[in-house]
mmCIF file of all heavy atoms in Angstrom:
data_model
loop_
_atom_site.group_PDB
_atom_site.id
_atom_site.type_symbol
_atom_site.label_atom_id
_atom_site.label_comp_id
_atom_site.label_asym_id
_atom_site.label_seq_id
_atom_site.Cartn_x
_atom_site.Cartn_y
_atom_site.Cartn_z
ATOM 1 N N HIS W 28 -0.430 21.330 -5.797
ATOM 2 C CA HIS W 28 -0.805 22.747 -5.708
ATOM 3 C C HIS W 28 -2.323 22.896 -5.666
ATOM 4 O O HIS W 28 -2.850 23.698 -4.894
ATOM 5 C CB HIS W 28 -0.249 23.530 -6.908
ATOM 6 C CG HIS W 28 1.207 23.892 -6.769
ATOM 7 N ND1 HIS W 28 2.036 24.046 -7.844
ATOM 8 C CD2 HIS W 28 1.965 24.121 -5.670
ATOM 9 C CE1 HIS W 28 3.256 24.369 -7.422
ATOM 10 N NE2 HIS W 28 3.231 24.415 -6.108
ATOM 11 N N THR W 133 8.624 13.322 -11.736
ATOM 12 C CA THR W 133 9.039 13.088 -10.348
ATOM 13 C C THR W 133 9.238 11.600 -10.065
ATOM 14 O O THR W 133 10.137 11.217 -9.332
ATOM 15 C CB THR W 133 7.956 13.620 -9.379
ATOM 16 O OG1 THR W 133 7.265 14.688 -10.001
ATOM 17 C CG2 THR W 133 8.536 14.045 -8.076
ATOM 18 N N LEU W 182 4.111 26.942 -11.701
ATOM 19 C CA LEU W 182 4.732 25.699 -12.189
ATOM 20 C C LEU W 182 5.049 24.736 -11.048
ATOM 21 O O LEU W 182 5.304 25.160 -9.913
ATOM 22 C CB LEU W 182 6.004 26.041 -12.978
ATOM 23 C CG LEU W 182 5.754 26.728 -14.319
ATOM 24 C CD1 LEU W 182 7.066 27.214 -14.927
ATOM 25 C CD2 LEU W 182 5.031 25.814 -15.298
ATOM 26 N N PRO W 183 5.047 23.447 -11.363
ATOM 27 C CA PRO W 183 5.159 22.430 -10.307
ATOM 28 C C PRO W 183 6.524 22.405 -9.613
ATOM 29 O O PRO W 183 7.565 22.426 -10.270
ATOM 30 C CB PRO W 183 4.907 21.117 -11.044
ATOM 31 C CG PRO W 183 5.194 21.400 -12.467
ATOM 32 C CD PRO W 183 4.900 22.851 -12.698
ATOM 33 N N GLY W 184 6.492 22.333 -8.284
ATOM 34 C CA GLY W 184 7.725 22.282 -7.500
ATOM 35 C C GLY W 184 8.421 20.934 -7.606
ATOM 36 O O GLY W 184 9.621 20.858 -7.896
ATOM 37 N N HIS W 185 7.667 19.853 -7.408
ATOM 38 C CA HIS W 185 8.290 18.521 -7.391
ATOM 39 C C HIS W 185 8.893 18.159 -8.741
ATOM 40 O O HIS W 185 10.052 17.737 -8.821
ATOM 41 C CB HIS W 185 7.257 17.451 -7.011
ATOM 42 C CG HIS W 185 6.753 17.585 -5.605
ATOM 43 N ND1 HIS W 185 5.468 17.273 -5.236
ATOM 44 C CD2 HIS W 185 7.373 18.012 -4.494
ATOM 45 C CE1 HIS W 185 5.322 17.492 -3.947
ATOM 46 N NE2 HIS W 185 6.459 17.944 -3.471
ATOM 47 N N VAL W 186 8.101 18.317 -9.804
ATOM 48 C CA VAL W 186 8.589 17.972 -11.145
ATOM 49 C C VAL W 186 9.849 18.791 -11.458
ATOM 50 O O VAL W 186 10.823 18.278 -12.012
ATOM 51 C CB VAL W 186 7.482 18.244 -12.202
ATOM 52 C CG1 VAL W 186 8.051 18.307 -13.607
ATOM 53 C CG2 VAL W 186 6.401 17.170 -12.132
ATOM 54 N N SER W 187 9.839 20.062 -11.034
ATOM 55 C CA SER W 187 10.963 20.943 -11.367
ATOM 56 C C SER W 187 12.233 20.592 -10.589
ATOM 57 O O SER W 187 13.325 20.947 -11.028
ATOM 58 C CB SER W 187 10.573 22.404 -11.122
ATOM 59 O OG SER W 187 9.378 22.693 -11.813
ATOM 60 N N THR W 188 12.106 19.902 -9.461
ATOM 61 C CA THR W 188 13.328 19.447 -8.771
ATOM 62 C C THR W 188 14.106 18.500 -9.687
ATOM 63 O O THR W 188 15.324 18.436 -9.627
ATOM 64 C CB THR W 188 13.036 18.713 -7.441
ATOM 65 O OG1 THR W 188 12.234 17.578 -7.719
ATOM 66 C CG2 THR W 188 12.365 19.587 -6.425
ATOM 67 N N ILE W 189 13.385 17.787 -10.545
ATOM 68 C CA ILE W 189 14.037 16.847 -11.473
ATOM 69 C C ILE W 189 14.462 17.565 -12.758
ATOM 70 O O ILE W 189 15.612 17.483 -13.174
ATOM 71 C CB ILE W 189 13.080 15.672 -11.843
ATOM 72 C CG1 ILE W 189 12.579 14.952 -10.581
ATOM 73 C CG2 ILE W 189 13.765 14.698 -12.812
ATOM 74 C CD1 ILE W 189 13.627 14.242 -9.775
ATOM 75 N N ILE W 190 13.513 18.291 -13.394
ATOM 76 C CA ILE W 190 13.834 18.817 -14.742
ATOM 77 C C ILE W 190 14.409 20.230 -14.713
ATOM 78 O O ILE W 190 14.891 20.724 -15.725
ATOM 79 C CB ILE W 190 12.609 18.757 -15.684
ATOM 80 C CG1 ILE W 190 11.469 19.676 -15.219
ATOM 81 C CG2 ILE W 190 12.100 17.333 -15.828
ATOM 82 C CD1 ILE W 190 10.326 19.783 -16.229
ATOM 83 N N GLY W 191 14.317 20.916 -13.558
ATOM 84 C CA GLY W 191 14.817 22.284 -13.482
ATOM 85 C C GLY W 191 13.880 23.255 -14.193
ATOM 86 O O GLY W 191 12.716 22.939 -14.467
ATOM 87 N N SER W 192 14.404 24.427 -14.538
ATOM 88 C CA SER W 192 13.552 25.462 -15.147
ATOM 89 C C SER W 192 13.722 25.554 -16.664
ATOM 90 O O SER W 192 12.882 26.113 -17.356
ATOM 91 C CB SER W 192 13.861 26.824 -14.512
ATOM 92 O OG SER W 192 15.221 27.140 -14.718
ATOM 93 N N LYS W 193 14.803 24.984 -17.184
ATOM 94 C CA LYS W 193 15.102 25.175 -18.619
ATOM 95 C C LYS W 193 14.005 24.636 -19.560
ATOM 96 O O LYS W 193 13.676 25.305 -20.548
ATOM 97 C CB LYS W 193 16.457 24.553 -18.951
ATOM 98 C CG LYS W 193 17.590 25.313 -18.288
ATOM 99 C CD LYS W 193 18.926 25.002 -18.924
ATOM 100 C CE LYS W 193 19.961 25.984 -18.403
ATOM 101 N NZ LYS W 193 20.810 25.480 -17.371
ATOM 102 N N PRO W 194 13.430 23.452 -19.274
ATOM 103 C CA PRO W 194 12.409 22.945 -20.221
ATOM 104 C C PRO W 194 11.176 23.827 -20.348
ATOM 105 O O PRO W 194 10.360 23.628 -21.231
ATOM 106 C CB PRO W 194 12.033 21.574 -19.629
ATOM 107 C CG PRO W 194 13.199 21.184 -18.790
ATOM 108 C CD PRO W 194 13.729 22.476 -18.220
ATOM 109 N N TYR W 195 11.008 24.817 -19.443
ATOM 110 C CA TYR W 195 9.843 25.710 -19.534
ATOM 111 C C TYR W 195 10.156 26.981 -20.334
ATOM 112 O O TYR W 195 9.263 27.812 -20.523
ATOM 113 C CB TYR W 195 9.390 26.151 -18.139
ATOM 114 C CG TYR W 195 9.120 25.048 -17.149
ATOM 115 C CD1 TYR W 195 9.841 24.961 -15.962
ATOM 116 C CD2 TYR W 195 8.122 24.103 -17.382
ATOM 117 C CE1 TYR W 195 9.584 23.955 -15.035
ATOM 118 C CE2 TYR W 195 7.855 23.095 -16.459
ATOM 119 C CZ TYR W 195 8.592 23.033 -15.285
ATOM 120 O OH TYR W 195 8.340 22.044 -14.373
ATOM 121 N N VAL W 207 6.223 30.997 -12.576
ATOM 122 C CA VAL W 207 6.927 30.890 -11.293
ATOM 123 C C VAL W 207 6.847 29.435 -10.816
ATOM 124 O O VAL W 207 5.757 28.868 -10.724
ATOM 125 C CB VAL W 207 6.328 31.840 -10.226
ATOM 126 C CG1 VAL W 207 7.015 31.619 -8.880
ATOM 127 C CG2 VAL W 207 6.502 33.305 -10.645
ATOM 128 N N ILE W 208 8.006 28.872 -10.534
ATOM 129 C CA ILE W 208 8.066 27.517 -9.953
ATOM 130 C C ILE W 208 7.955 27.701 -8.443
ATOM 131 O O ILE W 208 8.742 28.444 -7.853
ATOM 132 C CB ILE W 208 9.409 26.841 -10.299
ATOM 133 C CG1 ILE W 208 9.542 26.660 -11.813
ATOM 134 C CG2 ILE W 208 9.537 25.498 -9.584
ATOM 135 C CD1 ILE W 208 10.942 26.265 -12.281
ATOM 136 N N THR W 209 6.995 27.028 -7.851
ATOM 137 C CA THR W 209 6.770 27.320 -6.440
ATOM 138 C C THR W 209 6.583 26.082 -5.571
ATOM 139 O O THR W 209 6.340 24.984 -6.063
ATOM 140 C CB THR W 209 5.557 28.273 -6.278
ATOM 141 O OG1 THR W 209 5.506 28.732 -4.953
ATOM 142 C CG2 THR W 209 4.250 27.586 -6.603
ATOM 143 N N GLY W 210 6.698 26.318 -4.257
ATOM 144 C CA GLY W 210 6.501 25.263 -3.259
ATOM 145 C C GLY W 210 5.020 25.106 -2.934
ATOM 146 O O GLY W 210 4.149 25.622 -3.639
ATOM 147 N N PHE W 211 4.733 24.428 -1.823
ATOM 148 C CA PHE W 211 3.370 23.931 -1.629
ATOM 149 C C PHE W 211 2.636 24.521 -0.435
ATOM 150 O O PHE W 211 1.460 24.237 -0.238
ATOM 151 C CB PHE W 211 3.406 22.402 -1.538
ATOM 152 C CG PHE W 211 3.970 21.819 -2.799
ATOM 153 C CD1 PHE W 211 5.316 21.513 -2.920
ATOM 154 C CD2 PHE W 211 3.155 21.641 -3.900
ATOM 155 C CE1 PHE W 211 5.838 21.021 -4.107
ATOM 156 C CE2 PHE W 211 3.659 21.159 -5.087
ATOM 157 C CZ PHE W 211 5.001 20.842 -5.188
ATOM 158 N N ILE W 234 10.960 33.157 -16.193
ATOM 159 C CA ILE W 234 10.773 32.020 -15.285
ATOM 160 C C ILE W 234 11.493 32.333 -13.990
ATOM 161 O O ILE W 234 12.725 32.489 -13.973
ATOM 162 C CB ILE W 234 11.308 30.717 -15.896
ATOM 163 C CG1 ILE W 234 10.505 30.401 -17.165
ATOM 164 C CG2 ILE W 234 11.174 29.553 -14.904
ATOM 165 C CD1 ILE W 234 11.075 29.298 -17.981
ATOM 166 N N GLU W 235 10.724 32.432 -12.922
ATOM 167 C CA GLU W 235 11.327 32.674 -11.611
ATOM 168 C C GLU W 235 11.150 31.422 -10.761
ATOM 169 O O GLU W 235 10.156 30.704 -10.892
ATOM 170 C CB GLU W 235 10.657 33.855 -10.921
ATOM 171 C CG GLU W 235 11.002 35.185 -11.558
ATOM 172 C CD GLU W 235 10.394 36.340 -10.775
ATOM 173 O OE1 GLU W 235 9.196 36.601 -10.967
ATOM 174 O OE2 GLU W 235 11.119 36.958 -9.982
ATOM 175 N N ILE W 236 12.115 31.205 -9.879
ATOM 176 C CA ILE W 236 12.023 30.057 -8.975
ATOM 177 C C ILE W 236 11.757 30.589 -7.568
ATOM 178 O O ILE W 236 12.624 31.202 -6.957
ATOM 179 C CB ILE W 236 13.321 29.207 -9.002
ATOM 180 C CG1 ILE W 236 13.599 28.727 -10.432
ATOM 181 C CG2 ILE W 236 13.198 28.017 -8.046
ATOM 182 C CD1 ILE W 236 14.920 27.994 -10.603
ATOM 183 N N GLN W 237 10.548 30.365 -7.095
ATOM 184 C CA GLN W 237 10.225 30.727 -5.709
ATOM 185 C C GLN W 237 10.700 29.609 -4.766
ATOM 186 O O GLN W 237 11.093 29.869 -3.640
ATOM 187 C CB GLN W 237 8.697 30.933 -5.586
ATOM 188 C CG GLN W 237 8.197 31.354 -4.199
ATOM 189 C CD GLN W 237 7.977 30.179 -3.251
ATOM 190 O OE1 GLN W 237 7.817 29.050 -3.678
ATOM 191 N NE2 GLN W 237 8.012 30.471 -1.967
ATOM 192 N N TYR W 238 10.666 28.370 -5.275
ATOM 193 C CA TYR W 238 10.981 27.175 -4.472
ATOM 194 C C TYR W 238 12.496 26.904 -4.543
ATOM 195 O O TYR W 238 12.934 25.839 -4.989
ATOM 196 C CB TYR W 238 10.190 26.016 -5.073
ATOM 197 C CG TYR W 238 9.988 24.794 -4.225
ATOM 198 C CD1 TYR W 238 9.891 24.856 -2.840
ATOM 199 C CD2 TYR W 238 9.851 23.546 -4.820
ATOM 200 C CE1 TYR W 238 9.676 23.717 -2.087
ATOM 201 C CE2 TYR W 238 9.631 22.394 -4.075
ATOM 202 C CZ TYR W 238 9.547 22.499 -2.719
ATOM 203 O OH TYR W 238 9.329 21.358 -1.972
ATOM 204 N N LYS W 239 13.261 27.909 -4.080
ATOM 205 C CA LYS W 239 14.720 27.864 -4.296
ATOM 206 C C LYS W 239 15.412 26.766 -3.497
ATOM 207 O O LYS W 239 16.475 26.284 -3.889
ATOM 208 C CB LYS W 239 15.321 29.221 -3.934
ATOM 209 C CG LYS W 239 15.038 30.274 -4.982
ATOM 210 C CD LYS W 239 16.023 31.427 -4.857
ATOM 211 C CE LYS W 239 15.899 32.348 -6.034
ATOM 212 N NZ LYS W 239 15.273 33.591 -5.816
ATOM 213 N N ASP W 240 14.824 26.380 -2.354
ATOM 214 C CA ASP W 240 15.469 25.349 -1.528
ATOM 215 C C ASP W 240 15.585 24.026 -2.277
ATOM 216 O O ASP W 240 16.470 23.225 -2.013
ATOM 217 C CB ASP W 240 14.657 25.110 -0.241
ATOM 218 C CG ASP W 240 14.778 26.292 0.701
ATOM 219 O OD1 ASP W 240 15.622 27.163 0.427
ATOM 220 O OD2 ASP W 240 14.019 26.343 1.695
ATOM 221 N N ALA W 241 14.655 23.787 -3.181
ATOM 222 C CA ALA W 241 14.611 22.462 -3.815
ATOM 223 C C ALA W 241 14.915 22.471 -5.306
ATOM 224 O O ALA W 241 15.342 21.456 -5.852
ATOM 225 C CB ALA W 241 13.222 21.845 -3.598
ATOM 226 N N VAL W 242 14.685 23.615 -5.967
ATOM 227 C CA VAL W 242 14.766 23.617 -7.442
ATOM 228 C C VAL W 242 15.954 24.435 -7.928
ATOM 229 O O VAL W 242 16.133 25.590 -7.527
ATOM 230 C CB VAL W 242 13.455 24.180 -8.053
ATOM 231 C CG1 VAL W 242 13.556 24.236 -9.577
ATOM 232 C CG2 VAL W 242 12.263 23.326 -7.641
ATOM 233 N N LYS W 243 16.727 23.821 -8.801
ATOM 234 C CA LYS W 243 17.840 24.532 -9.445
ATOM 235 C C LYS W 243 17.541 24.617 -10.946
ATOM 236 O O LYS W 243 16.878 23.726 -11.486
ATOM 237 C CB LYS W 243 19.145 23.771 -9.240
ATOM 238 C CG LYS W 243 19.556 23.690 -7.792
ATOM 239 C CD LYS W 243 20.937 23.058 -7.669
ATOM 240 C CE LYS W 243 21.397 23.072 -6.231
ATOM 241 N NZ LYS W 243 20.553 22.267 -5.363
ATOM 242 N N PRO W 244 18.032 25.655 -11.630
ATOM 243 C CA PRO W 244 17.715 25.766 -13.069
ATOM 244 C C PRO W 244 18.050 24.497 -13.852
ATOM 245 O O PRO W 244 17.337 24.121 -14.776
ATOM 246 C CB PRO W 244 18.582 26.937 -13.533
ATOM 247 C CG PRO W 244 18.824 27.746 -12.303
ATOM 248 C CD PRO W 244 18.854 26.787 -11.156
ATOM 249 N N GLU W 245 19.140 23.835 -13.459
ATOM 250 C CA GLU W 245 19.539 22.644 -14.216
ATOM 251 C C GLU W 245 18.831 21.377 -13.730
ATOM 252 O O GLU W 245 19.008 20.300 -14.307
ATOM 253 C CB GLU W 245 21.059 22.456 -14.172
ATOM 254 C CG GLU W 245 21.633 22.070 -12.815
ATOM 255 C CD GLU W 245 21.857 23.273 -11.886
ATOM 256 O OE1 GLU W 245 21.316 24.370 -12.159
ATOM 257 O OE2 GLU W 245 22.560 23.106 -10.876
ATOM 258 N N GLY W 246 18.034 21.472 -12.687
ATOM 259 C CA GLY W 246 17.328 20.304 -12.161
ATOM 260 C C GLY W 246 18.265 19.338 -11.489
ATOM 261 O O GLY W 246 19.258 19.738 -10.865
ATOM 262 N N ASN W 247 17.973 18.061 -11.638
ATOM 263 C CA ASN W 247 18.808 17.013 -11.049
ATOM 264 C C ASN W 247 19.410 16.203 -12.204
ATOM 265 O O ASN W 247 18.782 15.280 -12.731
ATOM 266 C CB ASN W 247 17.926 16.112 -10.159
ATOM 267 C CG ASN W 247 18.721 15.008 -9.506
ATOM 268 O OD1 ASN W 247 19.748 14.571 -10.022
ATOM 269 N ND2 ASN W 247 18.236 14.546 -8.372
ATOM 270 N N PRO W 248 20.634 16.585 -12.635
ATOM 271 C CA PRO W 248 21.205 15.952 -13.836
ATOM 272 C C PRO W 248 21.318 14.432 -13.732
ATOM 273 O O PRO W 248 21.132 13.727 -14.722
ATOM 274 C CB PRO W 248 22.594 16.596 -13.951
ATOM 275 C CG PRO W 248 22.515 17.858 -13.155
ATOM 276 C CD PRO W 248 21.525 17.604 -12.067
#
Side-chain angles (χ1 to χ4, degrees):
H28 280 151
T133 332
L182 290 171
H185 294 146
V186 163
S187 307
T188 60
I189 304 295
I190 65 172
S192 59
K193 292 198 169 100
Y195 306 120
V207 176
I208 297 168
T209 191
F211 300 94
I234 297 170
E235 289 184 280
I236 302 174
Q237 181 276 339
Y238 198 31
K239 285 200 170 106
D240 289 350
V242 178
K243 296 186 176 64
E245 69 277 15
N247 180 333

